[in-house]
Amino acid sequence: MYDVPSAQLVASAGPFYATETFWTAAGVAVAVLVGCGAIWAAFRTAHPRRRLNCTISHTPLVRPALNGSLEVSHNGTALTDPYLVEVVLTNPGRRDIASSAFDRGEPFRVRLAVPYAELVETESDPSAALAPPARVCGAELRIGPGRIGCGTTVTYRVLVDTVPAHDCRHSLLDVRVHCATIPVTDRLTGPAPLVQP
């Protein structure tokens, strides 16, 4: 007597997403993505990227038509073509820029390329915020090192002689710096539109 093996029905393959292998692979992929996201978030928390905006503008103090009939001096120094330069630093981020962000204690430098320059005013917004110390060395404004709090705007005003040329240099660590220059303005006609280099 012969045994006839019973016929086995082979189930037809269903949709790929209904297989156990697919769901195992999908679980592994999700776990890898979640792990990478956690590592990235931890890195961003430990090493946050900070931002600093620097805007520089200059305004003539005397109209050209008056230059020949008016003499201007500051602390005994005669000025032939006086301008007021405004250097505005703004921290728009949610984290402070600490004093330690100034690599090797090097200041933020604004070169003005003028024969005479003197810092005449510093102000902060909010007013309770302390502005990083600043000084003029030759024709260069040196700012910091010093803390620039989140949401803080610091304005430095420098009196110069002749039209200044602006050049910014910095060695800030982990800070994205954006510099913009506003063209010369006339206090009687209003500011010109913003121009970015």
Side-chain angles (χ1 to χ4, degrees):
M1 186 167 207
Y2 298 99
D3 291 330
V4 179
S6 59
Q8 296 181 350
L9 296 176
V10 178
S12 61
F16 72 93
Y17 54 81
T19 65
E20 184 178 333
T21 304
F22 170 79
W23 287 110
T24 301
V28 170
V30 169
V32 168
L33 288 176
V34 169
C36 290
I39 292 171
W40 179 84
F43 178 80
R44 294 294 292 171
T45 301
H47 302 87
R49 189 76 171 160
R50 293 166 173 83
R51 291 180 295 149
L52 181 66
N53 294 335
C54 175
T55 303
I56 305 172
S57 63
H58 59 271
T59 305
L61 295 184
V62 179
R63 280 182 174 271
L66 299 177
N67 277 349
S69 59
L70 183 68
E71 291 184 2
V72 179
S73 65
H74 183 259
N75 291 336
T77 301
L79 305 178
T80 58
D81 192 13
Y83 281 77
L84 189 65
V85 177
E86 278 194 351
V87 178
V88 181
L89 299 181
T90 303
N91 178 358
R94 293 176 293 175
R95 296 181 180 275
D96 295 349
I97 297 173
S99 298
S100 58
F102 291 78
D103 187 29
R104 300 182 308 277
E106 289 293 320
F108 187 97
R109 301 168 184 261
V110 180
R111 296 178 181 173
L112 300 171
V114 292
Y116 174 87
E118 184 167 339
L119 180 64
V120 294
E121 186 179 17
T122 301
E123 67 179 37
S124 298
D125 182 25
S127 57
L130 292 175
R135 65 193 184 284
V136 171
C137 294
E140 184 177 78
L141 177 64
R142 298 180 181 179
I143 302 169
R147 174 181 166 273
I148 305 175
C150 61
T152 297
T153 297
V154 184
T155 303
Y156 301 92
R157 294 183 179 90
V158 181
L159 178 64
V160 302
D161 196 14
T162 73
V163 181
H166 312 140
D167 177 24
C168 296
R169 301 288 173 92
H170 71 89
S171 59
L172 292 169
L173 299 173
D174 200 31
V175 178
R176 185 186 316 150
V177 178
H178 178 261
C179 291
T181 299
I182 300 177
V184 62
T185 61
D186 188 320
R187 289 182 182 272
L188 300 179
T189 60
L194 178 66
V195 172
Q196 298 180 356

